[in-house]
């Protein structure tokens, strides 16, 4: 029973991370009908940028609490990944928006390979340690063990998913996203800037991916340039399983993919 409970807790932690990454796949699919296979690499870059910024802070000798340093590093990684998501949409996907569906699929795979090799050139092929700045105190839970960091990961992921759902359902931007998802031509006639909405979708998904990448690196205390492919593949599986009921109405899968 202890082992079963431990696996449940492990699944909750990893599932929370994969859910954030899966939302990036679900959002893009829901609004454009294509899979952004480069999304896993965006997640990886978020983790690597965070580690690089933390290394810079260490060399500068900043005497701040560990969680504060990590938060500041994340504040650099999120805009970096958002900018990358914006560039990916403008350069790789927008020119192929009306092309046969095979073209953007091949482009996405090629872009994933390009980003992975760029990461290898910058950070190398070896594993990079995540600085020991966050607490990993084990807590006993009916015979199973979970750290305080993992509890933070679960609740932070849940808060982000709820926030995204509220944004999609209750805000003007969310209504524009849902309208673009249903019929881009009609949404454009109603005054929605379709190009802006699609770019915003990529940007939001990239921001969530950056946070998820930091969660992975902090949970395992390491990151590497090939991690994006594996976690991206697992998150894509989660998106398919969680969003299978939403292939006809993709936006209602925002919570299901978690």
């Amino acid at each position: 029973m202890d082992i079963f409970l431990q696996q449940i807790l492990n699944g909750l932690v990893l599932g929370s991370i994969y859910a954030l990454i899966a939302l990036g796949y679900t959002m893009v699919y829901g609004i454009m009908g294509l899979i952004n296979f480069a999304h896993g690499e965006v997640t990886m870059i978020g983790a690597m940028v965070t580690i690089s910024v933390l290394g810079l802070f260490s060399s500068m000798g900043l005497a701040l609490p560990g969680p504060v340093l990590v938060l500041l590093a994340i504040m650099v990684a999120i805009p970096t990944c958002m900018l990358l998501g914006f560039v990916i949409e403008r350069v790789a996907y927008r020119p192929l928006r009306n092309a046969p569906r095979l073209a953007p699929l091949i482009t996405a795979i090629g872009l994933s390979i390009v980003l992975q090799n760029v990461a290898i050139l910058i950070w190398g092929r070896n594993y990079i340690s995540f600085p020991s700045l966050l607490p990993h105190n084990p807590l006993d839970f009916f015979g199973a063990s979970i750290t305080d960091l993992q509890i933070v990961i679960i609740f932070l992921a849940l808060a982000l998913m709820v926030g995204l759902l509220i944004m999609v359902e209750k805000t003007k931007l969310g209504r524009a996203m849902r309208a673009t998802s249903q019929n881009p031509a009609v949404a454009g006639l109603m005054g929605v800037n379709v190009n802006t909405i699609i770019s915003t979708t990529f940007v939001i998904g990239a921001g969530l991916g950056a946070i998820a990448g930091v969660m992975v690196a902090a949970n395992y205390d390491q990151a590497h340039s090939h991690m994006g492919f594996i976690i991206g593949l697992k998150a894509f599986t989660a998106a398919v399983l969680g969003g299978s009921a939403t292939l006809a109405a993709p936006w209602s899968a925002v919570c299901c993919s978690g």
Side-chain angles (χ1 to χ4, degrees), residues 6-70:
Q6 184 66 62
Q7 294 303 320
I8 292 294
L9 293 177
N10 293 341
L12 283 175
V13 175
L14 295 178
S16 299
I17 297 173
Y18 293 146
L20 287 182
I21 306 172
L23 285 176
Y25 288 110
T26 304
M27 291 174 66
V28 172
Y29 181 84
I31 209 165
M32 292 187 65
L34 61 87
I35 302 299
N36 178 20
F37 281 111
H39 187 57
E41 270 56 49
V42 174
T43 301
M44 173 269 295
I45 289 175
M48 303 300 273
V49 169
T50 300
I51 294 175
S52 297
V53 173
L54 289 174
L56 178 62
F57 288 163
S58 177
S59 64
M60 294 170 58
L62 289 182
L64 293 173
V68 175
L69 291 175
V70 173

Side-chain angles (χ1 to χ4, degrees), residues 31-149:
I31 209 165
M32 292 187 65
L34 61 87
I35 302 299
N36 178 20
F37 281 111
H39 187 57
E41 270 56 49
V42 174
T43 301
M44 173 269 295
I45 289 175
M48 303 300 273
V49 169
T50 300
I51 294 175
S52 297
V53 173
L54 289 174
L56 178 62
F57 288 163
S58 177
S59 64
M60 294 170 58
L62 289 182
L64 293 173
V68 175
L69 291 175
V70 173
L71 181 61
L72 292 175
I74 292 175
M75 292 300 101
V76 176
I78 291 176
T80 301
C81 289
M82 284 182 167
L83 178 61
L84 179 60
F86 177 78
V87 172
I88 288 174
E89 191 278 327
R90 289 294 301 268
V91 174
Y93 294 123
R94 185 173 297 186
L96 301 175
R97 193 173 296 168
N98 298 318
R101 287 304 176 190
L102 184 60
L105 176 62
I106 295 175
T107 300
I109 297 174
L111 186 60
S112 173
I113 297 173
V114 169
L115 291 176
Q116 187 177 116
N117 282 274
V118 169
I120 292 174
L121 291 175
I122 297 175
W123 291 288
R125 296 178 178 272
N126 297 325
Y127 284 80
I128 301 178
S129 298
F130 191 91
S132 301
L133 299 173
L134 298 176
H136 288 71
N137 302 317
L139 304 174
D140 183 74
F141 185 77
F142 297 104
S145 177
I146 185 171
T147 66
D148 41 12
L149 174 62

Side-chain angles (χ1 to χ4, degrees), residues 27 160-179 181-182 204 246 249-256:
M27 291 174 66
L160 290 171
M161 286 186 281
V162 171
L164 179 62
L165 181 63
I166 293 174
M167 185 273 291
V168 169
E169 295 292 339
K170 302 297 183 181
T171 66
K172 184 177 180 180
L173 174 61
R175 289 193 296 270
M177 286 180 169
R178 286 183 280 123
S181 172
Q182 294 297 322
I204 294 174
T246 16
W251 278 109
S252 60
V254 170
C255 279
C256 292

